């Protein structure tokens, strides 16, 4: 029973003897193997750690177990929330939208506005035109966004709804009351059964940039650079990137800047904050260059920008030292300016810190997973520190990624021990960790069960992170971002050294005060 | 407070809220909003609200889908089965381990609740169908997870649209292997909310667990006169465990939990019990009614939130049994009373008179009212995401005062009601949490117990009280206004 002076929640309550009895007593009715034959559970648990199991596990073709990717409309919602007063609108069932909102909200600890048009069985039969007409009108009337960005769920995609025609029909029927003819409603088809959340990001960004700029192309380009961040979940990274561009004194537009939307100060609630100005977005075709910070998350978008818009720039991944160097050199080239002193000093400080901490990362083996662009940047940084990315796993690897990652790993002296796992899930990672162990894992909250099962310490870097607070507020991009990475990783290594040496009168001779 | 009565304020808030809608939407939403009055027999449902209808498009509803109702609520917590999210990758990923359905087991070996199994549909699966892939998935699961006691197939939207026959595929594999395979047609577009998913999932338990002769491990349960099953407790934060202890202390034998920390064996053997105890009426009344009709097992609704309702429920349950049980129930009540008195003495003075607005799903919008009132707190607004008329009828008996009732309330409405009625605490879900916290309002998530709990039973109530105190009396809310913005003290 609870003690009023020290009320225990579930963590300790169920350790009380009376509850241990309850749990023990319950076993007699249970049919799980753990209640019936404990030895069998131990036997199978041990088998899952073997090479035999690993081979079977790697041979899976049909069932995905513990994925490390999500679906397209999630990325589309992120795009929308990076534009000024823009409501993400998902054409389809509202269950999906409840999921997108929960998923982002659990990560950012921030509200995530997004509507759906609640299609149900009748819409599945007759199409979702009525839902679109009512939905756009209601959304505009209630929330008064300056723009609505429409993406789709797999339901709408399977039945083949025509977004262009539906949006047009909605405007016609509304007659300008809530949806004037010029009201911007960019759209993109984002089927969940193609690609992953980064594909949805790409489709929505490409659709938005194309549709908003239609008819706006001027004869002359402006001395202005577009920056597309990609599916960026580190708020601080957006700020770092902007400050680098600003250090050059360069005029720029960040297309899809959700840094304020998912980082609102307390004191009052407003549904939308910050974001790319709609007028800027409409004019982005007239910038002289566009730089995408995530190649794989913007493949389609950048194809349009470089081939059709003929923008200079291209892609640049400012994660780690070399990545940031390249981004800065690209800016120097595009602006024709010298690298500013402030950035030179920042670089110097980062290198100084790397030289202070290198003994702790050097030679350490890492397993890491996440989105393709994130991994390119993170693995570059690990290699810069002399670490060994033993297992690099990308569940949503697009074409070309595996080769690029392999080439990157081949620059390491340890290259023969470094492995790329494209298209594999985290249950595969579990086998890899048991059969070819590493010192540390770098990944999102889904690594938690791997940490429990394999004992490998987890360094929380990635998306989503549900069970550690405020990490998303930091930067992992630019020199300051690399310094954060260095700090998190080095200190986790040191935490682990302490953990392993804290044994009184056994290992604590190595429990050094100074490291 | 001004001269305006609470009821008048609530009526005015509803009228004002409706003004922002276009005519068609306003007409619809008007029917879902009302003011409930306690002991007003003229009201058909609490506040005379209409429910279980299609959501108005474009309004930012908080509702989920049928898949969420089946995979997320009913089937997902059954721990010794593998639940496949059948279709594209997203649904399983977004719903993974979000509901805190606690269980004991070796995850990935004999239990699987917090894992995510998906058939990860690609375009070719949509075009050519996914039945073959599903069959291969069954084989792979049985190869790699040999201690699973069955597989359920949780259909995502495309399955029902592309004409896949998961029923035939499942049946064939089950026949071949003798394993329990449960196909569930809970596509997200079916119905208007999670609710239909509950119903569909209940029906599949009937068809595949009761009528399917599910294979069970270990000895069958030898029935006794005192066997009961806990139905509709998903063991969120351990709720079913802090309920179970009380039932056992009063001499009953809980042979099954549905479905938090459940095994398929417990469910399959439930038709042997003497009484079904139904906590979440909304999500599991279907199977309870079925067991009543088919096996003659009576069911009784109970409420283990807060001491007043817990005591009432313990007595109500005991009344189904002999005097020994009734006597023991009184002993249980007496045993915990000093602790509960202590909790109330400690927290009530800190919470007295604080007003609360709720918006949750299932049973909570009515069941938790008593727990707040036990602490002297006043619930002035409540509503359900996916309730039916029978829930709103039951709500009439639970409210203490004029209460604004909002069915399927959306982001705009809830924000407007809170601004107008100014409660001291809002208790709802994760999607709404930070909206109100930004406003400086204390908030508790009442789906997941905000990562605390359990809240059921006597021990749970102590945690509930401590958590409400934590939320309302934390110093952090006082920091919202900067010193330079604070009004000059007179």
């Amino acid at each position: 029973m609870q003690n009023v002076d020290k009320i225990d929640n579930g963590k300790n309550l169920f350790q009380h003897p009376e509850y241990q009895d309850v749990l023990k007593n319950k076993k007699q009715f249970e049919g799980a193997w753990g209640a019936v034959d404990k030895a069998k559970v131990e036997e199978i648990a041990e088998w899952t750690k073997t090479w035999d199991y690993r081979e079977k596990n790697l041979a899976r073709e049909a069932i995905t177990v513990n994925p490390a990717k999500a679906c397209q409309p999630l990325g589309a919602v992120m795009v929308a929330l990076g534009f000024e007063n823009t409501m993400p609108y998902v054409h389809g069932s509202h269950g999906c939208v409840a999921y997108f909102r929960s998923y982002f909200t659990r990560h950012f600890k921030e509200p995530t506005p997004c509507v759906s048009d609640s299609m149900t069985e009748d819409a599945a039969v007759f199409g979702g035109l009525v839902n679109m007409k009512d939905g756009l009108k209601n959304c505009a009337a209630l929330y008064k966004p300056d723009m609505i960005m429409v993406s789709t769920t797999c339901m709408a995609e399977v039945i083949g709804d025509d977004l262009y025609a539906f949006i047009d029909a909605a405007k016609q029927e509304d007659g300008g009351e809530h949806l004037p003819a010029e009201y911007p409603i960019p759209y993109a088809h984002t089927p969940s059964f193609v690609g992953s959340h980064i594909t949805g990001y790409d489709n929505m960004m490409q659709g938005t940039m194309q549709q908003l700029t239609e008819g706006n192309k001027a004869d002359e380009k402006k001395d202005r650079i577009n920056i597309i961040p990609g599916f960026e979940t580190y708020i601080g990274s957006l700020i770092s990137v902007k400050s680098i561009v600003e250090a050059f004194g360069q005029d720029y537009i960040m297309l899809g800047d959700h840094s304020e939307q998912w980082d609102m100060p307390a004191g009052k609630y407003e549904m939308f904050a910050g974001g790319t100005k709609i007028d800027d977005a409409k004019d982005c075709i007239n910038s002289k260059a566009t730089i995408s910070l995530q190649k794989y998350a913007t493949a389609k978008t950048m194809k349009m920008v470089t081939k059709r818009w003929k923008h200079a720039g291209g892609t640049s991944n400012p994660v780690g030292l070399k990545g940031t160097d390249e981004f800065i050199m690209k800016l120097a080239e595009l602006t024709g300016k010298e690298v500013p002193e402030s950035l030179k000093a920042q670089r110097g400080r980062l290198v100084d810190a790397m030289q202070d901490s290198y003994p702790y990362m050097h030679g350490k083996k890492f397993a890491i997973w996440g989105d393709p662009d994130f991994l390119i940047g993170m693995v570059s940084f690990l290699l810069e520190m002399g670490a060994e990315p033993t297992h690099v796993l990308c569940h949503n690897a697009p074409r070309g990624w595996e080769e690029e990652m392999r080439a990157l790993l081949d620059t390491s002296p340890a290259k023969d021990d470094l492995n790329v796992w494209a298209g594999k899930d985290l249950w595969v990672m579990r086998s890899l960790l048991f059969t070819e162990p590493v010192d540390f894992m770098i990944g999102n909250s889904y690594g938690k069960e791997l940490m429990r099962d394999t004992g490998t310490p987890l360094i929380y870097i990635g998306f989503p992170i549900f069970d550690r607070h405020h990490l998303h507020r930091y930067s992992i991009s630019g020199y300051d971002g690399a310094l954060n990475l260095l700090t998190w990783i080095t200190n986790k290594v040191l935490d682990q050294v302490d953990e392993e040496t804290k044994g009184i009168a056994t290992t604590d001779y190595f429990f050094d005060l100074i490291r | 407070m001004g001269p305006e009565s609470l009821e008048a304020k609530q009526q005015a808030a509803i009228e004002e809220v409706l003004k922002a809608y276009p005519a068609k939407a306003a007409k619809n939403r008007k029917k879902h909003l009302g003011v409930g009055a306690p002991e007003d027999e003229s009201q058909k449902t609490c506040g005379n609200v209409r429910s279980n209808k299609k959501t108005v498009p474009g309004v930012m509803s908080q509702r989920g889908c049928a898949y969420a109702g089946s995979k997320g609520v009913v089937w997902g917590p059954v721990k010794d089965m593998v639940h496949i999210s059948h279709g594209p990758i997203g649904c399983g990923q977004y719903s993974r381990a979000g509901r805190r359905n606690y269980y004991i087991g070796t995850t990935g070996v004999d239990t699987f609740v917090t894992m995510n199994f998906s058939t990860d549909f690609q375009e070719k699966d949509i075009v050519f169908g996914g039945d073959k892939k599903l069959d291969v998935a069954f084989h792979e699961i049985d190869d790699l997870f040999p201690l699973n006691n069955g597989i359920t197939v949780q259909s995502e939207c495309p399955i029902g649209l592309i004409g896949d026959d998961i029923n035939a595929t499942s049946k064939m594999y089950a026949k071949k292997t003798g394993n329990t395979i449960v196909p569930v047609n809970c596509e997200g577009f079916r119905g208007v909310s999670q609710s239909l998913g509950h119903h569909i999932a209940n029906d599949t338990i009937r068809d595949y667990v009761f009528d399917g002769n599910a294979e069970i491990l270990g000895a069958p349960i030898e029935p006794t006169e005192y066997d009961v099953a806990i139905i509709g407790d998903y063991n969120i934060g351990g709720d079913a465990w802090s309920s179970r202890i009380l039932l056992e202390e009063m001499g009953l034998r809980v042979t099954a939990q549905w479905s938090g920390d459940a095994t398929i064996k417990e469910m399959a053997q439930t038709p042997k019990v003497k009484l079904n105890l139904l906590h979440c009426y909304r999500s599991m009344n279907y199977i309870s009614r079925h067991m009543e009709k088919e096996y003659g097992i009576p069911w009784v609704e109970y409420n283990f939130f807060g001491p007043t309702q817990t005591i009432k429920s313990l007595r109500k349950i005991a009344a189904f049994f002999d005097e020994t049980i009734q006597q023991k129930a009184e002993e249980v009540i007496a045993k915990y009373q000093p602790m509960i008195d202590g909790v109330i003495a400690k927290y009530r003075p800190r919470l007295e008179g604080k007003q609360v607005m709720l918006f949750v799903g299932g049973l909570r919008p009515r069941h938790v009212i008593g727990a707040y009132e036990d602490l002297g707190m006043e619930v002035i607004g409540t509503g359900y995401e996916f309730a039916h008329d029978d829930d709103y009828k039951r709500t009439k008996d639970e409210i203490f005062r004029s209460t604004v009732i909002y069915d399927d309330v959306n982001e705009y409405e809830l924000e407007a009601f809170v601004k107008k009625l100014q409660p001291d605490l809002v208790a709802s879900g994760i999607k709404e949490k930070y909206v109100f916290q930004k406003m400086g309002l204390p908030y508790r998530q009442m789906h997941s117990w905000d990562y605390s709990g359990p809240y059921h039973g006597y021990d749970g109530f102590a945690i509930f009280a401590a958590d409400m105190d934590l939320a309302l009396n934390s110093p952090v809310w006082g920091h919202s206004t900067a010193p330079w913005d604070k009004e000059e003290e007179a």
Side-chain angles (χ1 to χ4, degrees):
Chain A
M1 201 193 308
Q2 296 278 16
N3 171 355
V4 180
D5 296 324
K6 187 188 164 296
I7 293 170
D8 283 333
N9 73 13
K11 173 174 165 276
N12 292 335
L13 179 70
F14 298 128
Q15 295 300 317
H16 293 192
E18 69 273 23
Y19 278 100
Q20 286 295 301
D21 285 346
V22 165
L23 297 177
K24 209 171 123 199
N25 189 37
K26 181 176 182 292
K27 292 255 183 273
Q28 64 178 301
F29 308 110
E30 290 190 355
W33 280 86
V36 179
D37 184 352
K38 254 192 150 158
K40 188 80 188 160
V41 176
E42 277 158 30
E43 180 199 322
I44 299 296
E46 283 307 309
W47 174 57
T48 65
K49 301 174 184 173
T50 63
W51 279 89
D52 175 52
Y53 189 88
R54 168 176 161 157
E55 276 159 28
K56 285 191 165 67
N57 191 4
L58 273 160
R60 269 186 286 130
E61 286 174 356
I63 193 74
T64 294
V65 185
N66 296 348
K69 61 177 181 179
C71 70
Q72 281 213 42
L74 188 81
V77 170
M78 175 182 274
V79 172
L81 289 174
F83 287 80
E84 181 187 29
N85 293 327
T86 298
M87 181 68 87
Y89 180 112
V90 186
H91 179 57
S93 161
H94 52 226
C96 310
V97 167
Y99 280 146
F100 309 145
R101 294 177 63 210
S102 303
Y103 207 64
F104 278 133
T105 299
R106 286 175 177 144
H107 175 80
F108 290 112
K109 319 287 182 207
E110 293 283 326
T112 301
C114 178
V115 302
S116 99
D117 51 19
S118 297
M119 285 165 65
T120 57
E121 277 137 324
D122 52 349
V125 178
F126 302 111
L129 177 59
V130 176
N131 299 69
M132 183 75 93
K133 286 177 176 175
D134 288 349
L136 287 174
K137 185 198 280 279
N138 290 334
C139 171
L142 281 188
Y143 299 110
K144 302 186 170 49
D146 293 332
M147 175 157 75
I148 299 175
M149 248 187 227
V150 179
S151 57
T152 51
T153 72
C154 49
M155 175 204 185
E157 286 301 315
V158 172
I159 63 175
D161 278 359
D162 180 347
L163 293 181
Y164 176 79
F166 282 16
I167 291 168
D168 194 48
K171 283 186 172 177
Q172 298 271 347
E173 188 176 280
D174 181 69
E177 190 189 353
H178 299 286
L179 306 167
E182 67 282 2
Y183 188 80
I185 311 182
Y187 63 89
H189 291 276
T190 51
S192 303
F193 43 83
V194 176
S196 69
H197 54 286
I198 61 168
T199 322
Y201 181 94
D202 195 11
N203 284 331
M204 192 76 248
M205 184 58 84
Q206 189 270 335
T208 300
M209 287 172 65
Q210 185 196 320
Q211 293 157 35
L212 287 183
T213 57
E214 252 160 24
N216 294 349
K217 192 166 190 232
D219 293 337
E220 256 180 73
K221 287 209 175 359
K222 291 183 178 160
D223 180 18
R224 189 180 60 200
I225 298 174
N226 301 329
I227 305 282
I228 305 174
F231 192 90
E232 180 54 72
T233 60
Y234 282 88
I235 298 301
S237 285
L238 299 171
I239 295 163
S240 292
V241 165
K242 286 192 280 189
S243 74
I244 291 172
V245 186
E246 282 161 17
F248 277 91
Q250 174 63 43
D251 188 16
Y252 71 100
I253 301 171
M254 182 174 268
L255 289 156
D257 175 5
H258 48 255
S259 60
E260 289 181 55
Q261 178 66 32
W262 273 315
D263 196 12
M264 291 187 195
K268 61 174 181 180
Y269 174 66
E270 276 171 15
M271 189 161 272
F272 303 114
T276 313
K277 302 266 176 240
I278 295 172
D279 285 342
D280 284 351
K282 285 179 173 170
D283 194 47
C284 73
I285 193 169
N286 296 318
S287 299
K288 67 176 184 183
T290 297
I291 304 175
S292 160
L293 309 180
Q294 292 187 357
K295 181 165 88 176
Y296 294 102
T298 57
K300 190 174 165 189
T301 306
M302 289 308 286
K303 196 173 162 191
M304 173 184 80
V305 167
T306 50
K307 294 255 165 71
R308 298 221 304 269
W309 292 9
K310 309 255 185 271
H311 281 197
T315 59
S316 182
N317 187 337
V319 175
L321 178 70
K322 186 163 152 272
T324 305
D325 286 347
E326 283 171 3
F327 178 58
I328 284 169
M329 286 192 293
K330 193 180 277 282
L331 285 171
E333 187 194 316
L334 289 169
T335 58
K337 288 181 186 166
E338 287 285 312
V339 175
E341 288 305 317
S342 61
L343 292 177
K344 287 181 184 166
Q346 259 195 41
R347 183 182 195 280
R349 288 189 198 104
L350 170 65
V351 173
D352 182 65
M354 290 165 81
Q355 290 167 350
D356 293 345
S357 307
Y358 75 92
Y360 297 102
M361 280 178 70
H362 190 96
K364 291 287 185 301
K365 291 181 194 299
F366 287 84
I368 182 168
W369 66 90
D371 283 345
D373 296 292
F374 166 82
L375 287 171
I376 296 283
M378 285 299 300
V379 167
S380 304
F381 178 69
L382 290 174
L383 293 174
E384 286 159 8
M385 291 302 297
E388 297 179 13
T390 307
H391 302 299
V392 182
L393 184 146
C394 184
H395 198 181
N396 52 344
R399 202 176 303 146
W401 178 86
E402 190 174 358
E403 293 74 17
E404 184 179 354
M405 180 53 74
R406 186 66 259 171
L408 184 57
L409 294 178
D410 284 344
T411 63
S412 165
K415 63 177 192 285
D416 295 340
D417 300 323
L418 310 183
N419 307 290
V420 189
W421 303 98
K424 297 297 178 189
D425 56 38
L426 294 178
W427 194 253
V428 162
M429 181 59 98
R430 189 176 182 273
S431 278
L432 301 177
L433 293 169
F434 276 126
T435 50
E436 294 178 271
V438 297
D439 300 305
F440 295 92
M441 299 186 282
I442 294 177
N444 53 23
S445 290
Y446 298 123
K448 190 170 191 164
E449 296 199 343
L450 296 170
M451 169 171 70
R452 177 195 61 199
D453 291 358
T454 69
T456 318
L458 172 63
I459 303 169
Y460 280 87
I461 307 173
F463 170 83
I465 294 176
F466 296 146
D467 61 330
R468 294 292 183 272
H469 283 210
H470 306 305
L471 293 171
H472 69 274
R473 296 176 191 273
Y474 290 80
S475 172
I476 64 165
S477 300
Y479 299 127
D480 55 336
L483 189 55
N484 286 333
L485 294 174
L486 179 70
T487 307
W488 294 337
I489 299 170
T490 302
N491 285 335
K492 186 72 180 186
V493 172
L494 292 172
D495 282 346
Q496 188 63 19
V497 176
D498 285 350
E499 188 60 33
E500 289 168 11
T501 59
K502 70 182 183 188
I504 294 169
T506 52
T507 55
D508 65 353
Y509 53 85
F510 208 86
F511 194 68
D512 276 302
L513 179 65
I514 306 155
R515 298 197 202 271
Chain B
M1 198 181 278
E4 204 182 6
S5 75
L6 180 60
E7 191 190 342
K9 258 173 91 174
Q10 290 167 336
Q11 291 288 8
I14 291 174
E15 273 164 40
E16 200 175 302
V17 155
L18 288 168
K19 281 182 194 156
Y21 284 104
K24 183 176 165 189
K27 196 175 153 202
N28 181 314
R29 286 305 302 160
K30 192 171 195 283
K31 297 176 189 158
H32 294 264
L33 305 172
V35 176
E39 289 156 34
D40 179 352
E41 291 310 315
S42 72
Q43 294 194 345
K44 282 192 189 139
T45 63
C46 198
N48 275 327
V49 298
R50 188 175 75 151
S51 56
N52 196 31
K53 298 291 180 204
K54 279 199 283 187
T55 293
V56 173
V59 299
M60 214 180 308
S61 165
Q62 312 292 4
R63 275 177 167 176
C65 64
Y67 162 89
S70 175
K71 188 265 185 182
V73 175
V74 174
W75 274 113
V78 180
K79 65 179 177 179
D80 59 341
M81 298 177 82
V82 168
H83 308 290
I84 302 176
S85 294
H86 187 42
I89 198 72
C91 314
Q93 193 70 323
Y94 307 129
S95 60
R96 182 176 175 189
R99 266 177 63 83
R100 304 184 70 231
N101 305 112
Y102 281 9
Y103 64 102
I104 302 289
T106 307
T107 302
V109 181
D110 72 336
T111 47
F112 312 94
V113 178
T114 54
M115 295 171 68
N116 174 7
F117 294 80
S118 169
T119 41
D120 187 11
F121 263 36
Q122 302 299 306
E123 199 154 22
K124 64 176 191 303
D125 302 314
I126 300 289
V127 177
F128 300 110
D131 285 331
K132 178 85 184 79
K133 189 174 200 175
L134 181 61
D135 182 61
V136 178
F138 290 150
H139 282 94
E140 290 175 352
I141 288 168
D142 282 335
D143 282 350
L144 287 165
F145 305 95
L147 302 188
N148 81 73
N149 287 336
I151 300 172
T152 72
V153 183
Q154 306 290 329
S155 301
E156 299 170 8
C157 285
I159 304 306
L161 299 170
I162 61 175
D164 269 16
D165 192 348
I166 61 164
N167 298 291
T169 309
S170 301
K171 200 170 164 186
M172 227 152 60
Y173 185 80
K175 206 172 161 190
K176 205 161 57 188
T177 58
N179 297 350
T180 301
I181 309 289
V182 185
V184 191
N185 289 109
C186 54
E187 287 86 349
F189 63 82
R190 294 191 194 280
V192 300
S193 67
Q194 295 92 311
S195 185
L196 188 62
H198 305 142
H199 197 153
I200 293 168
N202 275 228
D203 288 352
T204 55
I205 296 173
R206 176 195 66 203
D207 295 346
Y208 293 91
V209 179
F210 290 168
D211 299 348
N213 292 320
E215 200 193 359
I216 54 161
L217 276 184
I221 294 167
E222 289 298 328
T224 73
E225 283 309 299
Y226 300 124
D227 290 359
V228 295
I230 292 177
I231 311 279
D233 189 325
Y234 302 102
N235 206 31
I236 288 164
D239 280 338
W241 296 334
S242 61
S243 303
R244 187 180 182 103
I245 195 168
L246 301 179
L247 299 166
E248 288 178 350
E249 283 178 2
M250 68 188 265
L252 299 175
R253 207 172 75 136
V254 182
T255 63
Q257 283 179 202
W258 292 56
S259 56
D261 195 32
T263 59
I264 187 171
K265 175 178 168 182
E266 291 164 66
M267 296 170 83
Q269 304 252 302
T270 300
K272 297 179 181 178
V273 302
K274 295 292 175 292
L275 179 66
N276 276 324
L277 310 179
L278 182 55
H279 209 238
C280 181
Y281 168 86
R282 180 71 274 132
S283 59
M284 284 202 175
N285 76 85
Y286 317 101
I287 199 71
S288 305
R289 289 177 199 279
H290 171 74
M291 282 192 267
E292 182 178 43
K293 192 163 149 250
E294 192 68 23
Y295 309 105
I297 303 168
W299 52 278
V300 58
E301 288 178 62
Y302 70 109
N303 178 356
F304 272 3
F305 287 104
T308 303
Q309 290 297 334
T310 303
I311 290 168
K312 216 164 126 184
S313 295
L314 288 171
R315 289 186 174 138
K316 192 159 127 187
I317 294 165
F320 280 84
F321 296 92
D322 57 30
E323 280 179 16
T324 333
I325 300 294
Q326 290 167 22
Q327 179 57 35
K328 278 190 174 171
E330 292 305 322
E331 286 166 23
V332 171
I333 292 165
K335 175 185 157 189
Y336 284 93
Q337 196 57 48
M339 185 270 278
I340 290 304
D341 290 343
V343 168
I344 290 176
K346 182 174 176 182
Y347 291 109
R348 187 165 177 136
R350 302 166 61 84
L351 300 171
E352 186 92 52
K354 299 284 186 193
Q355 297 197 321
V356 185
M357 285 176 69
L358 296 165
F359 182 67
V360 220
L363 68 156
R364 293 161 179 173
R366 63 174 177 276
H367 265 39
V368 300
I369 293 175
Y372 282 108
E373 300 281 346
D374 282 340
L375 291 166
M377 299 172 74
E378 300 172 357
V379 175
I380 57 163
T382 192
Y384 300 76
E385 277 184 36
F386 48 81
H388 300 202
D389 271 2
D390 44 7
D391 294 293
Y392 283 104
K393 279 181 188 150
R394 285 166 166 77
T395 310
K396 288 198 292 181
D397 302 330
E398 306 288 340
I399 58 172
F400 281 69
R401 62 186 59 70
S402 178
T403 305
V404 60
I405 307 291
Y406 28 73
D407 177 66
D408 183 20
V409 80
N410 54 58
E411 180 97 5
Y412 154 75
E413 288 174 3
L414 191 59
E415 200 188 316
F417 284 136
V418 167
K419 280 182 173 159
K420 181 89 181 158
L421 301 173
Q422 309 228 312
D424 302 289
L425 175 81
V426 181
S428 185
I430 183 69
K431 300 189 288 294
E432 304 92 318
K433 177 174 181 172
Y434 301 100
V435 169
F436 298 108
Q437 288 200 172
K438 295 275 176 216
M439 298 176 189
L441 261 174
Y443 189 92
R444 287 299 292 185
Q445 279 185 76
M446 290 300 278
H447 295 264
S448 66
W449 306 150
D450 236 319
Y451 322 117
S452 176
Y455 283 174
H456 289 180
Y458 288 113
D459 288 338
F461 176 70
I463 302 166
F464 173 82
D467 284 350
M468 295 310 136
D469 176 52
L470 168 83
L472 274 158
N473 294 314
S474 165
V476 298
W477 308 117
H479 308 328
S480 294
T481 309
W484 51 85
D485 286 335
K486 281 186 182 151
E487 277 178 48
E488 299 275 324
E489 297 281 331

